[in-house]
């Protein structure tokens, strides 16, 4: 689709619109005026009182995107933002501008939905209104057109509602509310007009002629007796359509599938610090693992009672070239509260590679250390640093006050670091590869790497020992 602008007409429109205080930010902004001076939210859903085609129930728009809520469908009309910005500039010379802005239309069809399900507003209208005076026929003009922050499709599938609202600038947030009599496998979405789909790291990429947009990793939970219980969920592509694969859950309670549960916060450190890894627990709290330095008197915002409240030291050496300790922070589900924050480290450098919680929401930390005095527990498999770097495995209590277990694992070479010069080192921070998971019996399983020919191995294993000066994958439980 192409939208043409006549450069000369556009030039004089800007002169006129500049006088009355409008700007040509979208293709029908001339016909739209805001009735009050109040600030609008990031996305609002404007009701259709006859100013648009009857198939549209609500419409949301910004400079380069229109979102149309229809029966059993949500339509996206995208414009090329760069071309639109150039077209909107005031040029004295026609050759400086452009006459064409490219667009793309995608219709998100909610397949096999109930035909009677229509979008309706939730809650009170926003405290501002729109006026539409389009054309010279007064019967087509509309005044005091309301807008809403939330829209719901009640019973879009039997036993399933779809709640739509905005969570960030230019971002839609969908909540699929699956009631006890609903079946999440009935949810099937068809992005008609998309050129292709891709699922990567459980995020959905929808490609079109102007680029792509992304649906973030889905997040599913139930509220049972006041507790948020997480339910594993993932996107799937079946017959070129999108659906959700949901693991077993309690069918006596509502299930919420929320593809975009996101918050953002600064750490509050007064020194350099970098994020490495994150995970969540059964209540939806977030754990963030990173590194920080403290050599210049700066501090990380540790909390009272934390396991380690002081920076222990480090050296300026590869691969980080920063004297650093591990930092662990736990945040509430909405990101408003720092539940605890602690250092974890010794006299040399540490880095976290992966986090996971066990069945009791204790935090398991996989990383590497070069510290001979890294804190280990009495029951540790190994308390002694064997080589340049060893793998570390530590477990913190749910409140971050106790080190429940901590051990080093390694040989006389470098362990746990995928150092530069290997075929597996392609990008910045690829040195810190490794993962940790918990099995059904609460045992800890680690995947990492080693350059130690004397890395501890058990008998009758599959892979054999590590060849000296070579990097080899290691797995242990």
């Amino acid at each position: 689709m192409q939208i043409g602008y006549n450069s000369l007409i556009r030039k004089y429109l800007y002169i006129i619109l500049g006088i009355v205080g409008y700007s040509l930010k979208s293709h029908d902004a001339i016909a739209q005026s805001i009735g009050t001076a109040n600030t609008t939210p990031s996305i609002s859903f404007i009701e259709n009182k006859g100013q648009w085609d009857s198939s549209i129930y609500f419409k949301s728009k910004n400079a380069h995107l229109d979102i149309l809520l229809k029966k059993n469908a949500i339509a996206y009309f995208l414009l090329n933002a760069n071309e639109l910005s150039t077209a909107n500039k005031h040029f004295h010379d026609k050759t400086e501008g452009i006459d064409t802005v490219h667009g793309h239309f995608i219709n998100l069809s909610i397949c096999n939905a109930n035909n009677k399900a229509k979008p309706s507003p939730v809650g009170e209208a926003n405290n501002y209104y729109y006026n539409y005076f389009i054309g010279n026929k007064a019967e087509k003009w509309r005044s005091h057109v309301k807008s809403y922050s939330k829209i719901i499709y009640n019973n879009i599938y039997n036993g399933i509602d779809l709640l739509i609202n905005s969570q960030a600038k230019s971002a839609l947030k969908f909540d699929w509310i699956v009631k006890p009599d609903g079946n999440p496998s009935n949810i099937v979405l068809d992005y008609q007009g998309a050129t292709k789909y891709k699922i990567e790291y459980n995020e959905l990429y929808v490609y079109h002629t102007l680029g792509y947009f992304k649906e973030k990793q889905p997040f599913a939970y139930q509220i049972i007796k006041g507790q948020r219980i997480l339910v594993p969920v993932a996107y799937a592509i079946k017959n070129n359509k999108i659906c959700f694969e949901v693991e077993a859950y309690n069918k006596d309670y509502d299930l919420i599938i929320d593809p975009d549960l996101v918050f953002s916060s600064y750490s509050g450190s007064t020194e350099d610090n970098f994020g490495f890894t994150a995970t969540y627990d059964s209540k939806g709290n977030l754990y963030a693992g990173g590194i920080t330095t403290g050599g210049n008197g700066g501090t990380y915002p540790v909390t009272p009672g934390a396991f380690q409240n002081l920076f222990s030291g480090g050296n300026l050496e590869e691969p980080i070239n920063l004297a650093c300790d591990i930092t662990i922070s736990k945040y509430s589900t909405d990101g408003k509260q720092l539940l605890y924050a602690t250092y974890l480290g010794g006299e040399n450098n540490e880095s976290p590679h992966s986090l996971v919680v066990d069945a009791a929401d204790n935090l398991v930390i996989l990383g590497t250390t070069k510290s001979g005095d890294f804190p280990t527990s009495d029951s540790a498999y190994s308390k002694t640093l064997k080589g340049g770097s060893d793998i570390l495995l530590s477990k913190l209590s749910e409140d971050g006050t106790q080190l429940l277990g901590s051990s080093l694992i390694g040989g006389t070479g470098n362990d746990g670091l995928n150092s530069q010069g290997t075929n597996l080192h392609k990008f910045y921070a690829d040195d810190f590869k490794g993962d940790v998971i918990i099995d059904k019996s609460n045992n800890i399983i680690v995947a990492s790497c080693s350059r130690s020919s004397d890395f501890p191995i058990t008998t009758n294993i599959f892979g054999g020992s590590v060849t000296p000066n070579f990097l080899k994958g290691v797995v242990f439980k």
Side-chain angles (χ1 to χ4, degrees), residues 235-293:
Y235 289 115
I237 301 175
K238 297 181 179 179
N239 299 320
N240 206 35
K241 295 179 175 60
I242 306 301
C243 57
F244 296 104
E245 291 185 341
V246 182
E247 294 190 14
Y249 65 95
N250 192 330
K251 301 269 177 69
D252 294 330
Y253 297 86
D254 287 359
L255 170 71
I256 311 298
I257 303 176
D258 174 4
D260 193 11
L261 183 67
V262 175
F263 67 81
S264 178
S265 176
Y266 290 105
S267 69
S269 176
T270 59
E271 267 292 356
D272 287 342
N273 63 115
F274 302 90
F276 273 57
T277 179
T279 192
Y280 56 87
D281 65 15
S282 64
K283 300 179 183 66
N285 299 311
L286 172 74
Y287 299 80
I291 59 169
T292 190
T293 187

Side-chain angles (χ1 to χ4, degrees), residues 381-382 384-387 389-392 407-416 449-450 452 454-456 476:
Y381 167 76
S382 173
T384 305
L385 183 73
K386 300 290 180 58
S389 65
D390 274 3
I391 295 168
L392 68 87
S407 181
L408 303 179
I409 302 95
T412 53
N414 282 335
D415 303 292
C449 56
S450 173
S452 297
D454 57 346
F455 188 88
F476 56 89

Side-chain angles (χ1 to χ4, degrees), residues 39-56:
T39 302
T40 64
S42 299
I43 289 182
S44 62
F45 304 97
I46 306 167
E47 65 180 343
N48 186 5
K49 292 180 66 175
Q51 72 272 21
W52 301 312
D53 183 87
S54 61
S55 66
I56 301 169

Side-chain angles (χ1 to χ4, degrees), residues 209-221:
T209 57
L210 302 182
Y212 68 86
F213 60 83
K214 180 174 69 174
E215 300 286 357
K216 295 182 179 178
Q217 178 172 341
F219 178 91
Y221 63 92

Side-chain angles (χ1 to χ4, degrees), residues 394-437:
S394 302
K395 180 184 283 192
L396 284 172
S397 60
E398 183 184 12
D399 60 4
T401 62
Q402 299 179 62
L403 190 65
L404 302 180
S406 185
S407 181
L408 303 179
I409 302 95
T412 53
N414 282 335
D415 303 292
L417 289 177
N418 173 45
S419 54
Q420 293 189 29
T422 71
N423 289 332
L424 298 177
H425 196 290
K426 302 291 187 182
F427 302 103
Y428 179 77
D430 269 358
D431 307 86
F432 312 105
K433 288 188 171 181
D435 210 351
V436 59
I437 61 172

Side-chain angles (χ1 to χ4, degrees), residues 199-235:
I199 297 175
E200 189 170 280
Y201 297 107
N202 208 11
E203 295 183 323
L204 173 66
Y205 291 77
V206 179
Y207 289 84
H208 49 78
T209 57
L210 302 182
Y212 68 86
F213 60 83
K214 180 174 69 174
E215 300 286 357
K216 295 182 179 178
Q217 178 172 341
F219 178 91
Y221 63 92
Q222 296 182 283
I223 303 297
I224 300 178
K225 297 181 181 179
Q227 296 292 316
R228 185 193 295 263
I229 308 300
L230 302 186
V231 177
V233 61
Y235 289 115

Side-chain angles (χ1 to χ4, degrees), residues 3 8 64 72 94 114 146 235 243 317 335 341 418 455 474:
I3 297 177
L8 186 61
H64 56 271
N72 301 343
K94 179 180 177 181
N114 291 329
K146 297 177 181 179
Y235 289 115
C243 57
E317 59 185 34
N418 173 45
F455 188 88
V474 292

